[in-house]
Amino acid sequence: MRYLIVRTEVRPFAPEDVNASFLDEQPLRDETASPEQRRQVAEADSLDAALQLARALASVGAVRSGRQRVKVVRLDAPRWPS
């Protein structure tokens, strides 16, 4: 299986956005509609390699301070039924 490792910016939001999200029962972040800005992308052929790359990217200062995040996505994952 192939995996995509992505380091992205954390999108800030105001407290009133959180309140509106709960009142409207809408998700606060919708990655399909507006994904977070990518900073670095890598690809791996196995889960072990992907997790090792993710750990390396997670050691970046911006990730450790919470301004960025690391995501591991399986590329050949089956789609969820709608």
Side-chain angles (χ1 to χ4, degrees):
M1 286 185 226
R2 293 178 31 225
Y3 294 88
L4 187 68
I5 303 93
V6 184
R7 184 168 56 102
T8 64
E9 294 287 331
V10 174
R11 187 180 22 235
F13 48 85
E16 53 270 7
D17 295 339
V18 176
N19 293 337
S21 174
F22 280 111
L23 293 174
D24 299 339
E25 296 183 7
Q26 297 291 326
L28 192 58
R29 293 186 172 103
D30 185 4
E31 290 292 317
T32 58
S34 58
E36 294 176 335
Q37 182 180 9
R38 294 178 182 176
R39 287 294 175 194
Q40 193 170 9
V41 178
E43 189 177 327
D45 291 328
S46 70
L47 180 58
D48 288 337
L51 293 177
Q52 189 172 10
L53 282 167
R55 277 188 225 104
L57 290 175
S59 67
V60 173
V63 175
R64 294 179 65 196
S65 68
R67 294 187 315 268
Q68 296 178 353
R69 75 178 88 220
V70 177
K71 303 173 186 179
V72 177
V73 180
R74 193 169 84 186
L75 293 178
D76 53 353
R79 292 204 176 264
W80 295 103
S82 300

